[in-house]
Amino acid sequence: MDLVIDGLTVTGAEIDTDPFVYAIGTKLPTGGTLTAVVFREHLPYVGLSFAQRRGV
């Protein structure tokens, strides 16, 4: 599964077995982990791409 972070495609993982939610995640180059869980009923209305917060 591919994810987009700051416009770059990275390899991730998905959990697509729950009837109510869809989950994705990936390890970040900085050592952290990105995860997201979305209710399945909302999936048609959202795009799953991500951006890093800067200057925090």
Side-chain angles (χ1 to χ4, degrees):
M1 136 115 294
D2 291 332
L3 301 174
V4 178
I5 303 173
D6 289 335
L8 301 173
T9 302
V10 298
T11 301
E14 66 182 345
I15 299 174
D16 196 12
T17 56
D18 188 286
F20 302 107
V21 296
Y22 175 74
I24 57 174
T26 190
K27 289 188 180 229
L28 300 172
T30 57
T33 303
L34 169 98
T35 60
V37 179
V38 179
F39 284 112
R40 286 194 178 276
E41 64 190 62
H42 298 169
L43 281 175
Y45 308 105
V46 297
L48 296 175
S49 61
F50 303 91
Q52 294 183 50
R53 285 185 2 180
R54 308 256 188 229
V56 185

